[in-house]
């Protein structure tokens, strides 16, 4: 997966979820989009963890 900004990944994830809820995917698309959603969730979690670590580091330097 290419490097995405957190906001872009979150927006894409929200779109996938919205389309899943509206039953807009056939079974093949659903499997593909579910895999993509899992990757986006991991990316977002990793970004949040990195940001949290950086904030704690900066707070420790004060």
């Amino acid at each position: 997966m290419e490097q995405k900004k957190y906001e872009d990944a979150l927006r894409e994830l929200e779109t996938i979820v919205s389309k899943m809820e509206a039953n807009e995917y056939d079974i093949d698309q659903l499997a593909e989009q579910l895999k993509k959603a899992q990757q986006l969730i991991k990316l977002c979690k990793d970004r949040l963890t990195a940001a949290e670590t950086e904030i704690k580091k900066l707070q420790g330097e004060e």
Side-chain angles (χ1 to χ4, degrees):
M1 181 176 294
E2 72 273 5
Q3 283 293 93
K4 290 184 182 286
K5 290 186 175 183
Y6 174 84
E7 294 81 6
D8 294 338
L10 188 58
R11 204 171 306 119
E12 188 173 350
L13 183 57
E14 289 171 343
T15 299
I16 291 170
V17 170
S18 177
K19 287 183 177 184
M20 284 180 176
E21 290 175 342
N23 295 317
E24 291 186 28
Y25 295 123
D26 65 29
I27 193 69
D28 294 324
Q29 291 173 318
L30 184 60
E32 180 182 315
Q33 292 302 312
L34 190 57
K35 182 178 178 180
K36 189 172 190 176
Q38 289 173 325
Q39 292 171 335
L40 290 166
I41 290 168
K42 182 180 180 334
L43 183 146
C44 289
K45 285 176 72 174
D46 290 349
R47 296 278 169 86
L48 289 172
T49 300
E52 182 180 30
T53 300
E54 188 63 27
I55 289 168
K56 286 180 180 179
K57 179 180 166 187
L58 292 171
Q59 287 176 338
E61 292 178 0
E62 292 179 359

